[in-house]
Amino acid sequence: MTLAIRGVVKRFGALTALDAVDLDIEQGELVCFLGPSGCGKTTLLRVIAGLETADAGAVLLDGADLIATPARLRNFGVVFQSYSLFPNRDAGENIAYGLECRRWAKDRIRARVAEMLQLIGLADHAGKLPSQLSGGQQQRVALARALAVDPALLLLDEPLSALDAKVREGLRFEIRALQQRLGITTIMVTHDQEEALTMADRIVVMRAGRIEQVGTAAELYDHPETRFVAEFVGRINVLPVAPDGGVCGRLMALPEGRLAGRRPALVGIRPEAVRVHAPEAAPAGALGAQLEQAIFLGNLTQLVLRVEGAPEGDPPLLAELHGLRPDGFAPGAPFAVELPPAALRVLEWR
Amino acid sequence: MALSGAVARPPRHDRLPIALVTLAVAAPLLLFILYPLAFILGRSFVTETGLGFANYARMLGNERFLGILANSFAVTLVSTVLAVVLAYLFAYAIQRTAIPWKGFFRLVAIVPLFAPSLVQAQGLVLLFGRNGLINRTFDAGIEIYGYWGIVIAMVLYVFPYAFLILSAALAVADARIYESAEMLGAGGARVFRTVTLPATRYGLAAAIFVCFTLVITDFGNPMVIGADYGVLATEVYNQVIGQANFERGTVIGMILLVPAAIAAFGEKYISARQFAVVGEQSRPLAIQPSPGRDAVFTAVVVAIALAILAIVAIVVFASFVDLWPYRMNLSLRHYAFDVQNGIEPLWNSILIGLMAAAIGVVAITASSYMVEKLKSAASRPLYFVSILPAAVPGMVLGLGYILAFNNPANPVYLIYGTLLIIAICNVYHYHAQAFLISSTSLKQISPTFDEASATLGGSRFDTFRKVTLPLLAPTLVGIAVFFFMRSMVTLSAVIFLITPSTQVAAVSVLLLEDRGATNQAAAFSVCIMAVVVAALLLTHMALRLAGFRNVSLIR
Ligand SMILES: Nc1ncnc2c1ncn2[C@@H]1O[C@H](COP(=O)(O)OP(=O)(O)OP(=O)(O)O)[C@@H](O)[C@H]1O
Ligand SMILES: [Mg+2]
C-alpha cells in the first residue's frame, strides 16, 4: 500500500491547520510526523483517517482517491492517544469490535481475538474491562483492536504520550517489532524527538501546517535544510553569513545556491564537527577563540567559545569534545578552532 | 485537542440517513410540544370580531382577574422565599455541619416527591382544617383555608426540589478557601457571607427560579385548601372545567405562561453560567463538630422533618380511620375502593406510568442523541423545543392538547380519550428535565469512542447499539423511573385529558377531597405513595443486582 498526499489544505475558521501538504509513504515503512504542538500533525493524521475532511487536495491510496470514502470504509487502523477503549466491553470484546462490524462468523472472531491477544502478550486478560487494565495494557489492547481487522494502514496519534517513561520505552520497541513483523505501513504522530529517532524509517518534520523536511534520522541530522529542522533534531551552531560571504569574520567557501544567484544567509555546524586545537598546535588558517565556559558532561565536554573577529551580534560557538577533561580550563583561555567547510550546512538562503 | 465546538458538515454519504433520523425525531417533538402550544396561542387571539388582543385587553381590564393575578404573585413570591430559605438551612445542615442521622434526614427531605402534589394541602386540612385533628381536639379555632394554607402547602411541596439543587451546590467546596478565610481571621458569619454564599449563588438562583415556576403553576394545593382565595392556576381550571369557557381559560393560561417561561429561562441562563468552583487541586471540606452550631441545626432539621412527616402521617392515619372526624376507630374499609370507579384509577395511573416510562425512554434517547451526537443544523432548534416544556405550565400543555387533538380531523384524535394520550402528554410535559439528564450523560461519553468505532468499520448504528446505548443504559433506567414517578403524582396537565373511563389516581384524590370523601382521598394518596416507593425500591435493587451503583433515581 502506498499513500500519496497531494496539496492537502485544512482550515479551521481563520486558522490554516494544513497548508498545501504533499507527502508519499511507501509500502511497509514507519513514518513519524514530528513537530511542535499545534503544527498540524494530528490534523493531517485525521484527514488521512477520514475523520476530518480536507478543504482542498487529495489523499490517494495506491492511486485511488479516498475523498468519497468515509472513515469506516477506509479500513485503516487508528490508535488514539487516550486509548479510547470502549469502557463497556472487555479486552476481548474490544478487539472483536471491528470484526463484528464486518459481520465475521462467531468462531472466526473468537480465533482471531485469541491470536491478537497472544500477539500482544495479554492472553490472560481477555475478560478484563479497560478500567481493570494498566495504561500500557490498555494501549496494547487498542493496538490489537486496530490490527485485528488487517488494516491497510496503521495510524497512531501519540500512542505513548499518556504512559510513564518506563512503559513507554518498552512499548516503543514492541510496536516497532510488531510493525516490522507484520510489514504494515504505519504513520505515527509524536512530538518526542527521541521516539521519532528510535522508531521511524523516515521522519516528517512539520511546522505551522507545512512539511519542513522529510528524511531518515541520519539525513535530517546530517543535512538539515532549514534552521527549524536543524534545531529540532539535535543541537547546532547557527551562524549568520555576512553579505560578503564571511562567517565568523572570515571568508569561506560556501555551497552554491540551488537556484542561480542565491547565496547563503545562515549556516549551521554541529558542535561535534567543530575542530578545537590548543593555540600552539593551531593549523594554518584556524580561527582564534577564547573560552567562555567549559561544561563537563561525563563522556563529553562542551566548550562555549567566542571567536576572535566575529561580528558583534554573533552567538558564541559551541563545540563538543569526547574524552576530554576540562580540568584547568579557565574562562578566557585561548583556543584555535576550525569550521570544516564540508560540515557547514546552509540553513537559509537570501 | 479542540475537536468539538463547530458543527462539522456531515460528509455527503451520511446526509440522507441523518436527514431521515432528524425528521423521525423532530416530528413527535413538533407534534406534541410545538403544535399544541401554537394552537393555544393562536386560539387566545381569536375574538368575535377576528384576530386581535381583545381577549387579553378584556382580561387585564377585569378587576376580579387582576385580583387573582395579584394573589398568584403574593402566594408565589412568599412561598418561594420561605421554601428556599428553609431548604438552604436544611441542605447546609446536611452538607456543612455534623448533625446526626444525615442519611435519614436526606430521605425525609425528598419524601414529598413521592406523593401527589396536593397531598400537602390534604394533610394540612386533616391537621388544621375545620374538622382537623387540632381544631377537634383542642378547639383551637385555627383557620387554615386561604392564603396561608396555600403558602404552607406550597412551601412543603417545593421544598424537596430546592433542597436537591442547594444540596448539590453546597456539596462542592474547596477546603483551601475556607482555611485561608479563617487564617485571615474571618469568623463563622463572615466566612458564610464572604465565601459560602457567593459560592452557592448560582444554586440559590436556580432554586428560586425552579420554585417560582412550580408554585405559580401548581393548582392541586390551592384547589384543596384555597377556599375563595383564587390564583391563576385554579382560575384556568374553573374557567375550563367549571364554566366550559375555553377562551378565558386559554387567555389566562397564556398569561400564566409568561412568568413561568421567564423563570424557566432564567434558570437555564443561570445554570449555563455555573462555573467549576472545584479545581483539580482542591480538597474536600472536612467538617469539624461544633456542639453549639450542630445543636441549632439539628433543631431546625428536626422541625422541618417533623412538618414533612406529619403531613404524610396524618394522611396515612386518615386512610385507616372509619369516618373522619366522627368515628375515629380504625378500619380498612377505605381500601375497598367501592366508590365511583373503584380502584381502576390507580391501575390507570400505573399503566400510564409504565407507558410514559417506555415512550419517554425512547423519545428522550432519540432527542438527546440527535442533539448531542448527530450534530447537524437541526440540533439547535431541536434543543430549544426539547427544553421548551420546562417553561410551559402543565395546565397550558393539557389545554393545548384538548384544543389541538380533540378534533376528528387530526390523526391524533384516534388516541384522544385513551390512556395513551395521557402518557404521551406526561412524556412531553416532563421532556425538558429528562432531556437534560440524558444529554448530560451523553456529553460525558467522549466523541473519540465514535471515532474509534468509525475507524474500526462501525456504522453510526453499530456505535449507537454497541457503545453509546450500553453506556447510557443506567441513566435511561433513571429516566424511566422519573417518568413513572411523575406520571403517578402529576395533576396539572392530565386534569384536562381524563375521561370517565380514563380517570387517574391523583385526580381521584382531588375529586374525592372536593366531595368531602376525606378518608377515601387519603387512601388513594397512600396507594400512590406506596406504588412510587415500591417502584423506586424495586429499581434500586435491580440496578444493584446488575452491578450499577451511584445511579441517581430521584430527580
Ligand atoms: N476541530 C478544530 N477546530 C478548530 N481548530 C482546530 C481543530 N482541530 C485542530 N485545530 C487547530 O489546528 C492546529 C493544528 O492542530 P493539531 O491538533 O493538528 O496539532 P498537533 O500538531 O497535533 O499538536 P499537538 O502536538 O499539541 O497534538 C492547532 O492550532 C489547533 O488549535
Ligand atoms: Mg496532536
Side-chain angles (χ1 to χ4, degrees):
Chain A
M1 294 289 160
T2 63
L3 188 78
I5 294 159
R6 294 283 171 266
V8 164
V9 175
K10 177 70 190 176
R11 288 184 205 94
F12 294 109
L15 180 117
T16 305
L18 292 177
D19 191 0
V21 171
D22 287 295
L23 183 65
D24 285 281
I25 294 170
E26 300 303 324
Q27 162 65 37
E29 70 175 339
L30 193 159
V31 170
C32 269
F33 293 174
L34 180 67
S37 188
C39 68
K41 308 178 295 285
T42 297
T43 306
L44 182 54
L45 195 82
R46 290 172 59 83
V47 167
I48 297 171
L51 295 171
E52 211 83 69
T53 329
D55 295 315
V59 177
L60 309 163
L61 188 69
D62 285 338
D65 194 348
L66 290 176
I67 189 90
T69 314
R72 72 186 182 89
L73 300 179
R74 289 194 183 188
N75 195 33
F76 291 171
V78 183
V79 174
F80 299 86
Q81 178 177 355
S82 53
Y83 322 133
S84 68
L85 292 179
F86 305 125
N88 56 316
R89 306 185 127 230
D90 64 32
E93 289 169 338
N94 261 287
I95 296 173
Y97 189 89
L99 309 173
E100 287 173 18
C101 291
R102 284 167 176 71
R103 309 279 179 270
W104 280 28
K106 284 230 160 50
D107 45 342
R108 256 186 91 201
I109 293 184
R110 209 172 309 125
R112 180 69 170 163
V113 169
E115 182 192 342
M116 295 313 295
L117 282 165
Q118 199 74 47
L119 195 68
I120 55 166
L122 290 178
D124 301 336
H125 301 268
K128 287 196 180 166
L129 289 172
S131 55
Q132 298 164 326
L133 295 169
S134 73
Q137 290 172 333
Q138 289 185 54
Q139 202 54 302
R140 292 217 289 272
V141 173
L143 191 65
R145 181 177 73 176
L147 289 172
V149 298
D150 255 328
L153 198 65
L154 182 62
L155 306 173
L156 312 167
D157 188 1
E158 307 209 23
L160 306 176
S161 66
L163 304 171
D164 59 51
K166 220 167 159 53
V167 184
R168 186 159 37 188
E169 227 153 276
L171 259 181
R172 261 184 213 164
F173 289 105
E174 228 174 288
I175 292 181
R176 177 61 166 159
L178 203 59
Q179 183 266 335
Q180 283 177 323
R181 178 135 60 96
L182 301 175
I184 182 168
T185 314
T186 302
I187 300 174
M188 184 169 118
V189 165
T190 179
H191 60 241
D192 180 343
Q193 232 202 79
E194 194 182 316
E195 200 164 288
L197 294 176
T198 51
M199 294 179 73
D201 291 310
R202 283 195 304 153
I203 298 170
V204 176
V205 180
M206 295 184 64
R207 178 193 186 190
R210 289 173 165 279
I211 292 183
E212 195 85 354
Q213 191 175 349
V214 183
T216 63
E219 282 166 1
L220 294 181
Y221 191 81
D222 293 338
H223 299 281
E225 284 168 10
T226 65
R227 174 178 191 162
F228 180 79
V229 173
E231 287 181 331
F232 206 78
V233 183
R235 284 168 158 275
I236 196 156
N237 290 297
V238 177
L239 309 168
V241 182
D244 64 359
V247 176
C248 292
R250 175 76 61 92
L251 287 177
M252 292 199 186
L254 294 173
E256 286 291 309
R258 280 163 303 180
L259 294 169
R262 297 192 72 183
R263 291 186 304 134
L266 275 185
V267 293
I269 182 164
R270 297 285 178 193
E272 70 275 15
V274 175
R275 289 202 200 127
V276 182
H277 306 275
E280 55 278 12
L287 300 161
Q290 263 132 38
L291 183 68
E292 283 196 345
Q293 199 186 353
I295 306 161
F296 177 61
L297 292 171
N299 62 337
L300 98 140
T301 295
Q302 289 180 338
L303 303 179
V304 183
L305 299 158
R306 175 142 298 278
V307 178
E308 284 161 16
E312 268 304 295
D314 276 20
L317 191 68
L318 185 71
E320 283 177 3
L321 300 172
H322 276 270
L324 179 90
R325 298 221 151 232
D327 312 327
F329 288 179
F335 280 95
V337 294
E338 278 184 304
L339 306 178
L344 286 178
R345 302 284 170 258
V346 180
L347 302 178
E348 200 179 299
W349 299 86
R350 74 167 121 246
Chain B
M1 236 184 335
L3 293 173
S4 53
V7 175
R9 189 171 157 79
R12 213 168 323 156
H13 52 89
D14 255 5
R15 271 175 223 158
L16 183 65
I18 288 186
L20 290 178
V21 172
T22 306
L23 201 66
V25 173
L29 282 175
L30 298 182
L31 179 61
F32 291 115
I33 296 176
L34 225 45
Y35 179 69
L37 289 181
F39 216 95
I40 187 172
L41 181 65
R43 185 71 175 260
S44 71
F45 291 112
V46 176
T47 67
E48 292 101 60
T49 56
L51 292 179
F53 288 93
N55 294 334
Y56 289 94
R58 195 169 331 126
M59 197 58 75
L60 293 173
N62 178 329
E63 216 151 290
R64 186 176 157 275
F65 173 78
L66 290 178
I68 289 173
L69 190 64
N71 287 354
S72 250
F73 276 93
V75 164
T76 307
L77 293 175
V78 171
S79 310
T80 300
V81 170
L82 285 176
V84 170
V85 168
L86 291 177
Y88 199 101
L89 288 172
F90 203 102
Y92 189 90
I94 300 259
Q95 300 289 1
R96 300 287 175 89
T97 72
I99 61 162
W101 297 349
K102 286 185 179 176
F104 170 73
F105 286 125
R106 206 192 302 254
L107 204 61
V108 171
I110 54 174
V111 158
L113 292 177
F114 308 152
S117 71
L118 49 62
V119 88
Q120 332 299 338
Q122 197 182 9
L124 284 176
V125 168
L126 287 168
L127 279 172
F128 302 109
R130 234 161 277 123
N131 290 323
L133 201 60
I134 306 292
N135 281 338
R136 278 267 151 181
T137 317
F138 303 108
D139 201 12
I142 295 173
E143 188 51 60
I144 191 72
Y145 305 94
Y147 178 75
W148 284 105
I150 301 178
V151 167
I152 298 170
M154 288 295 191
V155 168
L156 291 168
Y157 160 55
V158 299
F159 178 82
Y161 297 92
F163 168 74
L164 287 177
I165 295 171
L166 294 169
S167 178
L170 282 161
V172 287
D174 187 347
R176 294 171 308 163
I177 299 176
Y178 286 86
E179 278 162 13
S180 46
E182 270 164 40
M183 226 106 76
L184 292 170
R190 198 181 167 82
V191 171
F192 179 81
R193 198 159 43 79
T194 54
V195 181
T196 314
L197 210 52
T200 49
R201 64 188 188 278
Y202 290 109
L204 260 176
I208 289 172
F209 283 130
V210 164
C211 289
F212 185 95
T213 314
L214 283 167
V215 174
I216 205 163
T217 59
D218 181 62
F219 92 113
N221 286 309
M223 279 297 282
V224 171
I225 206 169
D228 306 333
Y229 197 87
V231 292
L232 286 174
T234 50
E235 186 62 13
V236 175
Y237 179 77
N238 288 336
Q239 291 296 341
V240 173
I241 303 286
Q243 306 176 19
N245 189 338
F246 280 87
E247 267 62 39
R248 296 193 116 202
T250 310
V251 173
I252 302 170
M254 292 321 290
I255 294 172
L256 178 59
L257 181 94
V258 174
I262 291 174
F265 283 106
E267 200 265 324
K268 289 285 151 318
Y269 179 79
I270 290 290
S271 28
R273 221 128 283 254
Q274 180 86 265
F275 59 89
V277 255
V278 189
E280 278 188 15
Q281 323 221 321
S282 50
R283 263 183 303 117
L285 206 56
I287 295 161
Q288 307 299 337
S290 152
R293 178 200 66 190
D294 293 345
V296 171
F297 274 100
T298 307
V300 171
V301 165
V302 167
I304 296 173
L306 276 180
I308 292 171
L309 290 178
I311 297 281
V312 175
I314 195 74
V315 172
V316 174
F317 176 61
S319 77
F320 290 111
V321 164
D322 192 24
L323 181 64
W324 187 280
Y326 308 107
R327 298 199 300 270
M328 299 292 272
N329 55 309
L330 298 185
S331 152
L332 278 176
R333 71 187 182 94
H334 307 298
Y335 287 90
F337 296 113
D338 45 10
V339 284
Q340 253 188 345
N341 303 348
I343 189 78
E344 202 192 310
L346 188 64
W347 287 118
N348 285 344
S349 280
I350 294 175
L351 268 178
I352 290 170
L354 293 175
M355 285 194 277
I359 299 170
V361 164
V362 176
I364 293 296
T365 308
S367 55
S368 57
Y369 181 80
M370 186 69 225
V371 169
E372 289 302 328
K373 289 283 176 192
L374 276 193
K375 304 242 185 218
S376 73
S379 292
R380 279 207 75 76
L382 284 183
Y383 171 82
F384 177 77
V385 179
S386 290
I387 63 158
L388 182 61
V392 179
M395 306 193 80
V396 173
L397 192 66
L399 204 50
Y401 272 45
I402 308 190
L403 295 175
F405 301 135
N406 188 10
N407 168 8
N410 190 303
V412 180
Y413 185 71
L414 284 176
I415 57 164
Y416 192 80
T418 64
L419 297 180
L420 181 59
I421 188 115
I422 300 180
I424 291 177
C425 181
N426 286 341
V427 166
Y428 290 100
H429 181 187
Y430 295 109
H431 192 277
Q433 289 88 333
F435 172 85
L436 290 173
I437 296 168
S438 177
S439 50
T440 306
S441 285
L442 278 177
K443 274 200 190 90
Q444 286 159 1
I445 301 178
S446 159
T448 45
F449 293 139
D450 301 78
E451 297 186 341
S453 172
T455 59
L456 286 164
S459 62
R460 278 183 199 276
F461 184 67
D462 285 325
T463 316
F464 176 72
R465 194 166 53 93
K466 296 178 181 212
V467 181
T468 316
L469 200 53
L471 291 176
L472 193 61
T475 304
L476 293 179
V477 172
I479 286 174
V481 170
F482 168 81
F483 278 120
F484 182 84
M485 252 172 87
R486 291 298 158 95
S487 296
M488 288 301 298
V489 302
T490 185
L491 261 185
S492 56
V494 298
I495 191 91
F496 294 127
L497 294 176
I498 50 157
T499 65
S501 63
T502 60
Q503 177 79 273
V504 298
V507 176
S508 286
V509 178
L510 183 71
L511 298 182
L512 290 168
E513 190 72 35
D514 204 35
R515 282 203 345 231
T518 314
N519 305 94
Q520 276 108 346
F524 254 112
S525 279
V526 172
C527 288
I528 293 174
M529 290 187 264
V531 170
V532 170
V533 171
L536 275 171
L537 286 177
L538 279 177
T539 323
H540 183 72
M541 287 193 300
L543 280 172
R544 280 253 153 156
L545 284 180
F548 292 112
R549 271 144 215 277
N550 309 325
V551 179
S552 38
L553 292 178
I554 291 159
R555 314 278 188 174

